[in-house]
Amino acid sequence: LSAYWARGRFRYREFFETGIALGFDCFEISGISDDAFYDEIHPGDFEIVSLHDPAPSSHGPSAQGSTGLRRAGITLTSLDEERRNQAVCLTARSIGIAAAYGARALVLHLGLAGIRSETAHWIENLYATGEIAGAEADRARACIAAERARQHAERMRALERSLDTLIPVALKRGVRLGLENRPIHEMPNWKEMQGILSRYPVETIGYWHDTGHAETPALLGLTPQVDWLTAFRSRLIGLHLNDAIGLESHYAPGA
């Protein structure tokens, strides 16, 4: 069970105890931006199998959480070296926290793909009005591909520099990096994931599948969800199981 569910519902120990009472036996640390976590939950208290980058912190850039970091441009794919290095340092810290709590995997969001928010809203509105199979939607998908291509090589090189720095840190601490599939304005898309996984060995980097994130591009006429699972099943190290209603995900399974 992901600690993301605790937000607005529980203090941390109460969350873990409630999860155990519901029948869960292991957990992911996710969505926590509060140093109080370390006061309430100590290594060995509960079975932690994964940690979602960034690790909990109530100060510094990581207090913004993954969404805030992305908005600030502090990502592993950033073309601004200072911001990219900030992201690398935060992820290295997360690796250390993951190892300290016994987590075997660190889930990563890689960063933005250079797609304008107007373009993403354009195709999402076409879905909402039932026009996702029409000619205008084809133009929107072509625009998404063109915008992604403009900075693709530069962002991939930035990502490779980031991962080349982080992999030795993760190897030393016994933590695998799980690259999560993301919405259309972020990296990686299916082709990018294929390229990244082919570059790095299975011992260091694997694929982390999110069912909600995979459903969105599928509904927009891009990669079907099953294609991710079929292509990368041998590299799969974890999965976020959540439901989607239209383009809105992170509902409980079955919703």
Side-chain angles (χ1 to χ4, degrees):
L1 182 65
S2 171
Y4 201 90
W5 186 54
R7 294 171 60 146
R9 293 184 175 90
F10 304 102
R11 291 303 299 169
Y12 304 123
R13 182 162 293 276
E14 183 186 11
F15 157 75
F16 285 102
E17 291 172 347
T18 300
I20 288 172
L22 289 171
F24 293 93
D25 56 14
C26 55
F27 300 89
E28 175 174 285
I29 302 173
S30 177
I32 298 173
S33 56
D34 187 349
D35 286 314
F37 170 83
Y38 304 107
D39 297 326
E40 295 186 32
I41 308 299
H42 305 106
D45 286 354
F46 302 97
E47 181 74 12
I48 308 294
V49 294
S50 56
L51 185 150
H52 198 304
D53 191 40
S57 179
S58 58
H59 63 280
S62 59
Q64 304 175 63
S66 59
T67 300
L69 290 173
R70 188 167 60 252
R71 288 172 178 163
I74 302 173
T75 69
L76 301 177
T77 63
S78 176
L79 302 183
D80 180 301
E81 275 296 286
E82 182 178 352
R83 289 186 172 92
R84 188 188 67 79
N85 283 322
Q86 276 187 284
V88 169
C89 289
L90 291 173
T91 300
R93 173 181 178 270
S94 294
I95 291 170
I97 298 297
Y101 278 80
R104 300 187 292 272
L106 179 72
V107 183
L108 297 182
H109 291 180
L110 299 184
L112 298 173
I115 295 171
R116 296 179 304 134
S117 58
E118 296 87 349
T119 306
H121 292 153
W122 178 20
I123 194 167
E124 289 166 357
N125 288 336
L126 290 171
Y127 171 82
T129 57
E131 302 172 84
I132 200 62
E136 186 177 357
D138 290 339
R139 289 193 293 272
R141 285 185 282 267
C143 189
I144 288 170
E147 290 182 4
R148 181 182 287 273
R150 286 191 192 115
Q151 296 179 328
H152 177 264
E154 294 88 344
R155 290 184 182 274
M156 287 296 285
R157 284 194 293 268
L159 175 61
E160 288 168 4
R161 289 197 298 275
S162 299
L163 293 177
D164 288 346
T165 301
L166 290 167
I167 283 172
V169 180
L171 274 174
K172 185 176 180 180
R173 302 306 299 269
V175 175
R176 293 174 74 191
L177 304 179
L179 310 187
E180 186 177 2
N181 59 310
R182 297 291 296 153
I184 60 171
H185 59 286
E186 295 182 46
M187 296 179 73
N189 63 14
W190 188 93
K191 187 174 181 180
E192 291 160 352
M193 181 69 79
Q194 186 179 45
I196 297 165
L197 293 180
S198 66
R199 177 181 171 87
Y200 297 101
V202 64
E203 294 79 13
T204 59
I205 285 181
Y207 173 53
W208 198 281
H209 184 80
D210 186 292
T211 57
H213 296 160
E215 185 69 4
T216 301
L219 292 175
L220 297 178
L222 299 168
T223 307
Q225 176 147 204
V226 68
D227 287 8
W228 292 87
L229 292 166
T230 301
F232 308 131
R233 59 185 176 183
S234 66
R235 299 294 295 269
L236 187 71
I237 63 172
L239 184 146
H240 287 152
L241 180 62
N242 59 95
D243 217 336
I245 300 175
L247 301 180
E248 295 293 326
S249 62
H250 298 115
Y251 288 92

